[in-house]
Amino acid sequence: MRFLLISARKDLRRRFADPVALIIWIGLPVMLGTMMSLLFGDDGRPPTAHVLVVNQDDSLIGNLLVGALGQGGMDAFLSVEDVDLDTGRERIDDGDGTALLIVPEGFGTALLNDEPTTLTLITNPAQRILPAIVVEGLEIFSEAVFYSQRLLGAPIRELVDGPSTGQDSFDTATIAVLAAQINNRLTAAGDLLFPPMLDLDVVTTDRAGEGNPGGPSSGFDFGRLFLPGMIFMSVLFMAQGMGDDLWKEKQAGTLRRAVSSPDSLLWFVGGKLLAGLVLIAMVATMAVLVAVLALGLPPLRAPLAVAWCAYAGTALLCLFLSIAILGSTKRAANLISTMTVFPLMMIGGSFFPLELMPAWMGAVGAWTPNGLAVVQLRELLFGTPEPAAVAVAATAIAATAGVTLLLCVRRLRSFAIS
Amino acid sequence: MVLSMATPRVSFGDDILMIDVQDLRKSYGELVAVDGVSFTAGRGSVFGLLGPNGAGKSTTISCISGLLQPTGGRVSVLGHDVTRDGRAARQHLGIVPQELALYGELSATDNLSYWGAAYGLRGSALKGRVGAVLEVTGLADRAQEPVKTFSGGMQRRLNFGCGIVHQPQVLLLDEPTVGVDPQSRVRLLDLVREQVADGTCVLYTTHYMEEAQALCDQIGIIDHGKLLALGTLNELRGMMGERDILRLTGRFEPARARAAVGRLEHAEVVTADEGLLMLSVEAATRMLPAIFSALSDAGAEVQETTLTQPSLESLFIKLTGRELRE
């Protein structure tokens, strides 16, 4: 046990002797946060999609559609700009804009006459999340337009057709009739529409942190979606960086000396894990403090979140220590380690939130070591962690760490002399 | 067969066998790296393993230190079997590996403190030993500087210091002077002598004959994993008798050269090929004319002649047909 402590102290001294690496590690979450913030805006609000609209249908319906896009609730995530077709094409090809919406000529007429018509949406391939938001939003919007047409199509058609021949405008009686028709149809549909039988209620799924009673009001936004993954991206990079330490010890000759010392190699590796735990806790403290200050999270959530990061990060270090010694050369070890870290980041919720992945991938990602950690970190920071769920995640992470640690220690002697 | 003037099990001083190696074998599949090596060493003595690179010296040391698991045989340190009671055996061992084994980013003090603590030293005892080792290795004035800023010789001395900081009773030195400048080599050999004077048992591997002659009480000559000869320096010299090694280069017909030399008294062929002929000759200077004449009759053309007086080197040549540094 004492060998563990002195080994940890030795490794910490080695780390502190290289302040540049430490600064990079500590700065990593801050840098990633800054990059994400620059990418999505630095005011903490959800990102806004910029939609270029080519309105080739100068009808009332077409104009109503384009006008409605940038109003009401949709202006929260859509900004709309009218452009002509060539300009729109050119700009979307240059990556300027989230999507290009083309309203075809005759759109309004076709809609009123129950004829098929198509809105064309060209998305920006350079963006991933915002175009998806636009597609989802427009699909809902299209359905709303369709059902409005089914309900109020006849009176609207009459309005669009204009007054009878010889009249400049609708007379009062006609307007009254049309108004009565609209009122009757709405009244007839009233039992179905009011109170609304169908309501769009944004609820967070299990993976996004179901239920948030008493949770911080800053709630589900950019921070909640991305922050836990970003923190574990830093932790993964740290674990990978520290994972090659056994190679450094091998190349320095100190690993052979350690193998010949009286105490168990388990303590020698344990020292590396303990040192790693301290360093990961330092970086996690920095990241969580920034999150607390920037997102207004309750400070009392910080200690548990830091402890969780340190715990899960140390388990990841176990994984990378055992992976590193699989390589026959340091270069091969680095390659294996890199081939591990990036898929883990991709599917474990560090690059993209699990919620934005295809369902099957999100389900797999949620059971990776870092995925388990990210999901619970989100609960610890933003939601209400359920002890049973935390215990399951902690056990799965501990099992991963235990197995990889045993494999590492078993192979270490032959690794040292190879 | 091992040529030995000593009994297989030798005890020194207070009759405690510090190192006891019996029929040690280590193989890697078909390759036999150590093949039935046996020797013992006692307190306050230096046992030298002399042999060329790849002879099996480092493998032997690795088996004693617990780094490698022997394929067969038995190794014990102060009576503790290194396989069954490895922890107790390793507790008494100090190791100075052939390659440097240091933390370059740490200071000399930190390196010594870590390895001292790894062997159980703590508190004032640890501090005292670290200070003492820094003094004897001549590194006290650079004690707090990162080791990576040290010269090669200084790093070698610190490497040695890390092996002795916990005052081991058995010290394994694996070619500690390879690549060391002459001044540092002298200093290192002095350090070894100081350890021996304090009662430490030293196992010293080298391919430098001079070091073995200068340091070792007992010497084992090893090649291809086998111990070819074992004894004190005088005993080994005695194995050579008064025979010199005569090394001739030129053009030879090996069979005819062997036959020609075989007809001479007091001369025998050690090795013969088309470019090199090595002979073991008694009073070689007097025999030279007869040897040249016989070789000339056998169609040989001698271009260069080297005469080596009886020594460990000549014994090695006699035993293996090769020079020590080949």
Side-chain angles (χ1 to χ4, degrees):
Chain A
M1 187 67 179
R2 189 165 175 271
F3 191 38
L4 182 146
L5 295 175
I6 61 168
S7 293
R9 189 177 62 186
K10 172 262 297 179
D11 283 325
L12 281 173
R13 285 190 173 174
R14 290 172 60 219
R15 296 290 173 196
F16 287 123
D18 184 10
V20 175
L22 265 185
I23 289 167
I24 289 172
W25 279 341
I26 290 174
L28 202 56
V30 178
M31 186 187 74
L32 289 172
T34 307
M35 283 171 61
M36 295 294 244
S37 183
L38 288 172
L39 191 61
F40 291 122
D42 59 359
D43 53 3
R45 287 183 307 183
T48 304
H50 188 63
V51 182
L52 308 173
V53 177
V54 178
N55 187 1
Q56 297 174 322
D57 179 51
D58 199 20
S59 68
L60 173 68
I61 300 295
N63 290 335
L64 280 173
L65 172 79
V66 174
L69 278 177
Q71 294 177 10
M74 296 187 81
D75 66 347
F77 60 92
L78 284 185
S79 66
V80 177
E81 181 183 350
D82 276 321
V83 293
D84 61 48
L85 183 60
D86 292 339
T87 307
R89 277 282 186 187
E90 194 175 330
R91 285 181 58 182
I92 205 71
D93 287 345
D94 291 343
D96 179 14
T98 305
L100 173 67
L101 175 67
I102 302 172
V103 182
E105 192 175 348
F107 168 77
T109 309
L111 193 72
L112 291 172
N113 294 330
D114 290 344
E115 293 168 1
T117 184
T118 304
L119 292 170
T120 305
L121 185 71
I122 301 167
T123 55
N124 180 353
Q127 296 180 10
R128 178 179 169 84
I129 298 168
L130 293 177
I133 293 171
V134 172
V135 170
E136 287 287 329
L138 280 177
E139 279 177 355
I140 294 167
F141 191 72
S142 302
E143 287 191 17
V145 170
F146 172 75
Y147 286 112
S148 299
Q149 189 273 339
R150 306 300 292 177
L151 187 64
L152 304 171
I156 292 175
R157 218 168 7 247
E158 236 181 291
L159 279 171
V160 170
D161 289 344
S164 332
T165 317
Q167 288 187 317
D168 291 337
S169 59
F170 289 106
D171 57 31
T172 308
T174 307
I175 289 173
V177 168
L178 287 173
Q181 277 181 11
I182 291 172
N183 184 53
N184 288 343
R185 285 168 191 257
L186 286 175
T187 304
D191 290 344
L192 298 172
L193 296 174
F194 306 109
M197 297 297 287
L198 181 62
D199 190 16
L200 182 62
D201 186 12
V202 178
V203 292
T204 51
T205 64
D206 219 9
R207 281 182 287 134
E210 190 173 9
N212 193 17
S217 59
S218 50
F220 193 94
D221 57 11
F222 162 76
R224 180 181 181 121
L225 202 56
F226 287 97
L227 184 79
M230 273 168 35
I231 290 176
F232 266 90
M233 192 189 292
S234 302
V235 170
L236 269 170
F237 277 132
M238 280 189 77
Q240 188 202 11
M242 289 190 284
D244 78 349
D245 202 39
L246 288 173
W247 265 103
K248 287 181 183 164
E249 294 248 17
K250 178 185 166 77
Q251 290 178 326
T254 47
L255 185 58
R256 288 171 75 97
R257 204 192 274 278
V259 170
S260 301
S261 64
D263 263 314
S264 166
L265 286 174
L266 184 64
W267 301 131
F268 182 75
V269 178
K272 298 201 175 299
L273 296 177
L274 185 55
L277 185 139
V278 171
L279 293 169
I280 292 169
M282 283 171 58
V283 172
T285 301
M286 179 68 71
V288 170
L289 281 180
V290 168
V292 165
L293 293 174
L295 302 175
L297 300 175
L300 282 177
R301 288 175 179 262
L304 264 181
V306 169
W308 178 253
C309 290
Y311 171 76
T314 307
L316 289 169
L317 178 55
C318 273
L319 176 68
F320 281 102
L321 283 172
S322 62
I323 284 173
I325 63 174
L326 292 177
S328 55
T329 62
K330 190 160 189 266
R331 182 176 290 185
N334 285 340
L335 188 63
I336 296 170
S337 164
T338 304
M339 286 170 64
T340 305
V341 77
F342 279 99
L344 273 182
M345 277 198 287
M346 294 287 277
I347 67 168
S350 291
F351 271 143
F352 309 111
L354 295 169
E355 294 76 7
L356 295 183
M357 294 179 185
W360 67 269
M361 190 183 284
V364 172
W367 281 98
T368 57
N370 55 316
L372 285 163
V374 167
V375 168
Q376 293 309 320
L377 179 62
R378 178 173 296 135
E379 292 304 303
L380 289 166
L381 283 173
F382 298 98
T384 307
E386 290 180 20
V390 175
V392 168
T395 306
I397 289 170
T400 306
V403 170
T404 51
L405 179 61
L406 283 178
L407 290 175
C408 178
V409 173
R410 272 181 71 102
R411 200 181 129 67
L412 198 53
R413 186 176 295 271
S414 57
F415 171 72
I417 60 180
S418 63
Chain B
M1 180 183 161
V2 178
L3 297 173
S4 175
M5 293 294 165
T7 53
R9 295 169 71 85
V10 181
S11 61
F12 293 80
D14 52 7
D15 286 342
I16 295 175
L17 275 179
M18 310 290 270
I19 302 174
D20 187 1
V21 177
Q22 297 301 323
D23 198 24
L24 176 65
R25 293 170 196 279
K26 178 66 187 174
S27 54
Y28 303 93
E30 296 292 308
L31 176 70
V32 180
V34 177
D35 189 3
V37 167
S38 300
F39 63 88
T40 59
R43 188 182 299 280
S45 70
V46 181
F47 184 93
L49 266 181
L50 182 65
N53 292 330
K57 306 187 298 291
S58 294
T59 305
T60 302
I61 276 204
S62 294
C63 288
I64 297 171
S65 67
L67 202 59
L68 288 176
Q69 188 84 11
T71 309
R74 188 173 59 80
V75 178
S76 59
V77 174
L78 274 89
H80 302 286
D81 189 289
V82 297
T83 307
R84 290 196 299 271
D85 194 10
R87 184 186 164 123
R90 291 197 296 271
Q91 188 67 47
H92 299 291
L93 285 175
I95 297 156
V96 179
Q98 187 173 345
E99 304 295 334
L100 292 172
L102 300 169
Y103 292 107
E105 59 273 63
L106 298 184
S107 67
T109 301
D110 286 341
N111 271 278
L112 291 169
S113 298
Y114 176 65
W115 293 114
Y119 280 82
L121 292 178
R122 61 177 72 188
S124 56
L126 176 62
K127 200 173 174 184
R129 274 303 295 166
V130 169
V133 172
L134 285 169
E135 285 297 330
V136 298
T137 52
L139 297 170
D141 57 336
R142 305 278 302 269
Q144 300 307 323
E145 295 177 26
V147 170
K148 62 187 174 190
T149 64
F150 287 9
S151 68
M154 292 167 74
Q155 291 187 352
R156 280 276 165 197
R157 279 182 272 150
L158 179 61
N159 198 39
F160 184 89
C162 289
I164 63 168
V165 65
H166 58 291
Q167 292 181 298
Q169 296 192 60
V170 174
L171 185 57
L172 308 179
L173 301 173
D174 191 6
E175 307 218 28
T177 57
V178 169
V180 173
D181 62 90
Q183 197 177 356
S184 291
R185 175 181 290 195
V186 170
R187 182 76 186 124
L188 277 171
L189 295 182
D190 286 343
L191 288 171
V192 175
R193 289 191 188 95
E194 287 168 23
Q195 294 302 305
V196 175
D198 289 343
T200 305
C201 169
V202 173
L203 173 60
Y204 192 100
T205 74
T206 183
H207 62 268
Y208 295 132
M209 180 189 64
E210 315 80 46
E211 284 183 7
Q213 287 176 329
L215 272 179
C216 300
D217 302 293
Q218 282 244 313
I219 297 169
I221 295 180
I222 187 170
D223 193 34
H224 295 308
K226 288 181 183 290
L227 205 55
L228 303 174
L230 178 66
T232 64
L233 182 60
N234 287 334
E235 288 168 344
L236 293 177
R237 278 179 176 154
M239 290 179 196
M240 276 298 295
E242 294 304 314
R243 285 174 174 264
D244 302 318
I245 292 291
L246 189 62
R247 186 177 187 278
L248 306 165
T249 57
R251 282 204 298 271
F252 308 99
E253 290 178 40
R256 290 181 69 190
R258 278 181 185 277
V261 174
R263 284 192 288 273
L264 299 172
E265 282 187 34
H266 312 301
E268 61 182 90
V269 176
V270 175
T271 183
D273 62 34
E274 289 173 354
L276 175 69
L277 184 65
M278 281 209 271
L279 309 177
S280 169
V281 185
E282 200 174 307
T285 46
R286 281 192 285 113
M287 288 288 293
L288 277 175
I291 291 169
F292 285 140
S293 172
L295 288 175
S296 178
D297 293 345
E301 183 186 326
V302 177
Q303 293 170 344
E304 189 179 324
T305 305
T306 310
L307 184 66
T308 307
Q309 298 282 312
S311 67
L312 288 179
E313 178 103 31
S314 57
L315 176 60
F316 186 84
I317 292 168
K318 182 184 172 186
L319 291 172
T320 67
R322 295 190 294 128
E323 289 180 86
L324 197 52
R325 287 179 180 79
E326 281 179 2

